[in-house]
Amino acid sequence: EPEVTQTPSHQVTQMGQEVILRCVPISNHLYFYWYRQILGQKVEFLVSFYNNEISEKSEIFDDQFSVERPDGSNFTLKIRSTKLEDSAMYFCASNEQPNEKLFFGSGTQLSVL
Amino acid sequence: SQKIEQNSEALNIQEGKTATLTCNYTNYSPAYLQWYRQDPGRGPVFLLLIRENEKEKRKERLKVTFDTTLKQSLFHITASQPADSATYLCALALYSSASKIIFGSGTRLSIRP
């Protein structure tokens, strides 16, 4: 079965540094998403992306965050200046149609020191 | 305020019994309601989707009901097995936000042999 792939699986960074999390969604999917999950808490929506534009974003997704589809396969999440509270598991997801089932990647565990 | 609540943080039942998990929501108008399974350190995996005009959906040992009057979904696992032990998440896909699926905090299900 096709999979969403995420790299790296773990990322450790210093506070204030920029990080880029990478995702390759399933090839025929058109809608892409980033979610995050702080340890022991719920899966939180960050942003959705369609047709090279942000469709929806949450209050968490402030000016420090950006997303990009730099080529035909990758979908990236950039955090410009990381804070301690950005430490979380970040999941990329995709689907064929909005509101239909999401396919998640295995996540990038981000640790900000 | 808008909320998605899953009945209990943890549920512990005997192998072979039926597990019933509850998802209640307030101040949302979902078009679809979805259920996912999440294992520790992994991304959520889609299980079932039910539309607002559907009362019940089944897949193998899984059954979901959706009552838009009560604003509630029930998720049943019949003939439960230790391998069913995981966290189960309900998620709402909204009319008002075409590409935003939001998750409840989950119920951690443990099946004891």
Side-chain angles (χ1 to χ4, degrees), chain B:
Chain B
S1 64
Q2 296 176 313
K3 278 193 268 189
I4 306 171
E5 292 178 308
Q6 295 193 237
N7 58 325
S8 52
E9 202 174 300
L11 191 62
N12 194 325
I13 67 164
Q14 182 78 45
E15 181 176 6
K17 302 288 187 191
T18 295
T20 298
L21 285 64
T22 306
C23 176
N24 293 289
Y25 58 91
T26 51
N27 295 321
Y28 282 117
S29 295
Y32 306 153
L33 192 143
Q34 305 179 12
W35 284 88
Y36 291 78
R37 169 184 172 138
Q38 186 176 29
D39 291 287
R42 309 293 297 271
V45 175
F46 172 81
L47 296 173
L48 280 170
L49 178 153
I50 187 164
R51 293 175 171 78
E52 61 144 5
N53 60 350
E54 296 175 318
K55 295 272 190 238
E56 185 179 296
K57 260 302 184 47
R58 290 175 188 259
K59 180 183 171 184
E60 297 170 356
R61 293 185 296 112
L62 308 181
K63 183 176 91 169
V64 172
T65 62
F66 192 12
D67 188 326
T68 55
T69 303
L70 291 178
K71 298 187 187 300
Q72 181 181 82
S73 175
L74 300 179
F75 176 79
H76 307 270
I77 305 174
T78 57
S80 59
Q81 304 164 1
D84 295 326
S85 298
T87 296
Y88 290 85
L89 312 175
C90 83
L92 303 184
L94 308 175
Y95 276 119
S96 58
S97 302
S99 58
K100 178 178 175 181
I101 297 173
I102 50 175
F103 285 80
S105 51
T107 296
R108 192 170 63 252
L109 177 66
S110 299
I111 311 295
R112 59 182 186 275

Side-chain angles (χ1 to χ4, degrees), chain A residues 31 33 35 37 41-43 45 48 55-58 89 91 95 98-102 104-106, chain B residues 32 34 36 38 41-44 46 49 51 89 93-94 96-105:
Chain A
Y31 297 84
Y33 307 80
Y35 286 82
Q37 188 173 32
Q41 297 187 25
K42 67 178 183 179
V43 176
F45 172 83
S48 58
S55 302
E56 301 264 357
K57 58 182 181 178
S58 71
M89 180 76 95
F91 292 110
N95 58 11
N99 294 338
E100 295 284 340
K101 65 180 181 181
L102 289 168
F104 281 85
S106 51
Chain B
Y32 306 153
Q34 305 179 12
Y36 291 78
Q38 186 176 29
R42 309 293 297 271
F46 172 81
L49 178 153
R51 293 175 171 78
L89 312 175
L94 308 175
S96 58
S97 302
S99 58
K100 178 178 175 181
I101 297 173
I102 50 175
F103 285 80
S105 51

Side-chain angles (χ1 to χ4, degrees), chain A residues 22-81:
Chain A
R22 301 181 193 279
C23 169
V24 179
I26 293 172
S27 60
N28 64 330
H29 286 183
L30 300 177
Y31 297 84
F32 315 126
Y33 307 80
W34 284 100
Y35 286 82
R36 80 170 186 192
Q37 188 173 32
I38 295 169
L39 187 64
Q41 297 187 25
K42 67 178 183 179
V43 176
E44 297 178 288
F45 172 83
L46 292 179
V47 67
S48 58
F49 191 86
Y50 169 72
N51 200 26
N52 281 321
E53 286 185 345
I54 290 175
S55 302
E56 301 264 357
K57 58 182 181 178
S58 71
E59 290 172 358
I60 303 167
F61 194 89
D62 62 21
D63 292 344
Q64 292 300 310
F65 291 87
S66 62
V67 289
E68 196 180 25
R69 185 143 164 90
D71 54 43
S73 58
N74 289 284
F75 179 51
T76 61
L77 175 70
K78 183 194 290 188
I79 309 175
R80 265 182 263 288
S81 177

